Amino acid sequence: MAKYWNESIECMSREDMKKLQDERLVAQVKHVWDNVPYYRKKMEEKGVTPEDIKSTADLHKLPFLTKADLRDAYPYGLLAKPLSDCVRIQSTSGTTGKRVVAFYTQHDIDLWEDCCARAIVAAGGTNEDVCQVCYGYGLFTGGPGLNGGSHKVGCLTLPMSSGNTERQIQFMIDLQSTILCCTPSYAAYIGETLHEMGYTTDDIKLKAGIFGAEPWTEEMRREIEKSLGIKAYDIYGLTETSGPGVSFECSEQTGMHINEDHFIAEIIDPDTGEVLPEGSKGELVFTSITKEAFPLLRYRTRDICVLTREKCSCGRTLVKMSKPLGRSDDMLIIRGVNVFPSQIETVLIEHGYAPNYQIEVDRVNNTDTLDVNVEMTEAQFSDTIKDIQQKEQELVEAMKTMLGINPKVHLVSPKTIARSEGKAVRVIDKRKLHD
């Protein structure tokens, strides 16, 4: 079985990778300077010219790009190729403001699909596999990215998109799908539905899942692995840099290998913008060094994580990023305390609850309130009111220990929290924190 999709890149020596990155960065900065007036102006304001960038050691001299820049430059302001050279757009789900639209040349799509192929092979995929892609298709990058990667590997590809879960399971059984690609919350829902339909893991042939597009915890990974009888792999990406496949997990599962021949990663202090030494926790910044149509330099992802170059048992030398540990912007600050939804999820799963929950934050009389609605299983639902109140109190205590603040916990009936076929809506923040 092939262990790597592209061994010469995935196992390249540090020196050779740095040399490749240096060459590509220098060429990319010139490409952006010559073709993207918006970014050239940012460079001029910072007093930087392409001649100042001789290697990755000079990366810190370049200005950052943020989501606000992408909105300001919408739709064509960051385009670095003539539209006649572009063959596709993809777009973010756009929860706030204008959507981000990313452009692709055919070469960009080939490289992106190549990155996704690496992820599929790292999860054990070969041309003998049946790959069921239940990420959304259309503007969302999940479906098209993994679909293309699956084709490259030579898997039989089922382009299911999300939704119609009973049909998903029917195809999974009839066509003997071996690899599942979707969001972790949808994978959990497929597992739940499979068992409700009276099937067990013996009825399906799945061996691996490639899950991304939303935060998920180790506890949720174990739940999914158990309910579907698979090994669950993480994948990471952003529409702004291409889509899924910026980084991916190998069988060691101690972080995601970044495809460094295409993306240079930095960790910065989110407040000062200063580059932090390896091993520090901070905000992840990416520079695309091979993108033609939409090459972003020093794009601030707002994801908080850690980079490590510790030797990996899989043999890949690509730097690893931890699972995002939260967001520097989506992180909830409640009564001055930093709260990540993943912390709440960890408590719930440790106490035997399924990861079906919703966090509501509000502000009453100038004080933040934190309510956590948690769905009970059928077995828990049959308890007496007194038992349920006791369980709520147990969760309050556990969350207080984890978060440092007191939440209100409400155990609700099974199936009352809306299931998501795309990204799960975990947080409802009703505070008017912005005008």
Side-chain angles (χ1 to χ4, degrees):
M1 187 177 87
K3 195 176 172 191
Y4 311 107
W5 173 246
N6 185 339
E7 186 172 355
S8 63
I9 290 285
E10 293 173 59
C11 303
M12 189 179 267
S13 74
R14 186 75 229 116
E15 300 71 43
D16 287 348
M17 180 60 78
K18 184 170 183 323
K19 204 171 139 201
L20 180 65
Q21 287 185 331
D22 288 346
E23 285 168 13
R24 288 180 169 179
L25 176 65
V26 169
Q28 187 72 297
V29 170
K30 180 145 181 24
H31 172 55
V32 170
W33 174 273
D34 290 344
N35 296 291
V36 185
Y38 185 95
Y39 196 77
R40 182 167 67 237
K41 183 167 176 277
K42 286 184 88 80
M43 283 176 69
E44 285 168 347
E45 283 167 3
K46 215 175 169 203
V48 188
T49 67
E51 290 67 45
D52 298 318
I53 310 299
K54 295 179 175 64
S55 74
T56 51
D58 298 316
L59 190 59
H60 67 98
K61 297 175 183 173
L62 290 168
F64 292 115
L65 274 172
T66 65
K67 199 85 162 224
D69 288 309
L70 271 60
R71 291 199 193 104
D72 291 347
Y74 174 91
Y76 298 124
L78 289 165
L79 190 59
K81 281 282 194 182
L83 267 183
S84 55
D85 289 354
C86 300
V87 297
R88 193 194 298 170
I89 66 150
Q90 301 284 168
S91 176
T92 59
S93 46
T95 46
T96 54
K98 288 178 185 155
R99 300 175 72 100
V100 170
V101 173
F103 297 84
Y104 300 75
T105 62
Q106 186 56 51
H107 183 60
D108 290 335
I109 287 172
D110 289 341
L111 295 185
W112 172 28
E113 291 178 347
D114 199 77
C115 288
C116 290
R118 293 179 196 180
I120 290 168
V121 172
T126 70
N127 60 0
E128 302 289 320
D129 280 291
V130 178
C131 186
Q132 185 159 339
V133 183
C134 315
Y135 285 110
Y137 280 67
L139 290 171
F140 178 58
T141 53
L146 270 303
N147 190 87
S150 174
H151 277 215
K152 286 217 166 188
V153 175
C155 307
L156 175 64
T157 310
L158 310 187
M160 303 290 295
S161 198
S162 58
N164 203 333
T165 308
E166 292 193 1
R167 185 180 65 189
Q168 300 272 11
I169 290 166
Q170 199 60 60
F171 269 89
M172 193 179 284
I173 293 167
D174 296 346
L175 294 169
Q176 301 190 344
S177 305
T178 52
I179 299 174
L180 175 66
C181 305
C182 60
T183 60
S185 56
Y186 193 46
Y189 184 46
I190 288 174
E192 199 179 292
T193 309
L194 178 84
H195 295 284
E196 279 173 7
M197 288 169 74
Y199 296 115
T200 70
T201 51
D202 294 338
D203 296 301
I204 57 173
K205 291 281 190 288
L206 285 184
K207 63 178 187 181
I210 300 174
F211 308 131
E214 64 187 14
W216 54 309
T217 55
E218 284 305 311
E219 291 83 2
M220 189 169 180
R221 188 205 299 265
R222 302 289 159 247
E223 291 278 314
I224 292 169
E225 287 184 334
K226 198 169 125 200
S227 80
L228 291 172
I230 60 171
K231 184 158 177 158
Y233 295 80
D234 208 346
I235 189 168
Y236 175 89
L238 316 106
T239 302
E240 296 90 322
T241 52
S242 65
V246 170
S247 66
F248 60 90
E249 259 184 340
C250 63
S251 54
E252 191 180 273
Q253 297 189 318
T254 54
M256 290 173 277
H257 289 287
I258 295 171
N259 285 312
E260 290 186 273
D261 51 326
H262 301 301
F263 309 101
I264 301 175
E266 302 170 275
I267 294 287
I268 63 163
D269 179 316
D271 298 323
T272 65
E274 176 199 356
V275 179
L276 299 175
E278 189 191 305
S280 306
K281 185 165 123 179
E283 182 183 339
L284 184 60
V285 172
F286 277 120
T287 294
S288 297
I289 47 175
T290 51
K291 279 289 288 280
E292 294 180 334
F294 199 68
L296 301 188
L297 305 183
R298 300 199 85 201
Y299 180 68
R300 295 185 60 161
T301 66
R302 296 292 181 189
D303 282 322
I304 301 291
C305 72
V306 178
L307 297 181
T308 174
R309 288 203 177 276
E310 279 174 25
K311 201 167 186 265
C312 187
S313 59
C314 77
R316 289 177 182 82
T317 52
L318 301 168
V319 68
K320 275 185 183 172
M321 59 178 273
S322 66
K323 262 181 181 301
L325 306 165
R327 302 269 298 168
S328 65
D329 55 352
D330 292 352
M331 175 180 74
L332 293 163
I333 301 178
I334 301 169
R335 290 174 237 152
V337 176
N338 295 350
V339 174
F340 293 109
S342 58
Q343 295 172 304
I344 289 172
E345 185 172 300
T346 297
V347 170
L348 296 179
I349 292 178
E350 279 174 358
H351 283 76
Y353 295 87
N356 295 316
Y357 64 95
Q358 209 155 48
I359 300 162
E360 287 188 25
V361 187
D362 208 341
R363 187 160 283 175
V364 181
N365 299 328
N366 296 320
T367 303
D368 291 338
T369 60
L370 173 62
D371 288 74
V372 185
N373 298 316
V374 183
E375 211 174 74
M376 288 182 279
T377 61
E378 293 289 351
Q380 290 161 337
F381 185 54
S382 60
D383 291 347
T384 63
I385 289 176
K386 194 177 167 191
D387 287 340
I388 289 171
Q389 284 171 340
Q390 192 182 332
K391 284 181 173 162
E392 286 176 339
Q393 196 49 42
E394 280 169 14
L395 286 175
V396 166
E397 295 301 326
M399 285 182 200
K400 186 180 174 186
T401 304
M402 170 73 87
L403 306 171
I405 57 171
N406 246 329
K408 280 190 182 150
V409 174
H410 312 276
L411 289 174
V412 300
S413 316
K415 304 273 180 274
T416 49
I417 291 175
R419 294 297 190 274
S420 168
E421 289 170 348
K423 291 193 187 189
V425 180
R426 296 288 188 216
V427 180
I428 299 169
D429 195 337
K430 298 175 177 172
R431 297 173 297 180
K432 301 285 183 277
L433 300 181
H434 307 285
D435 294 332

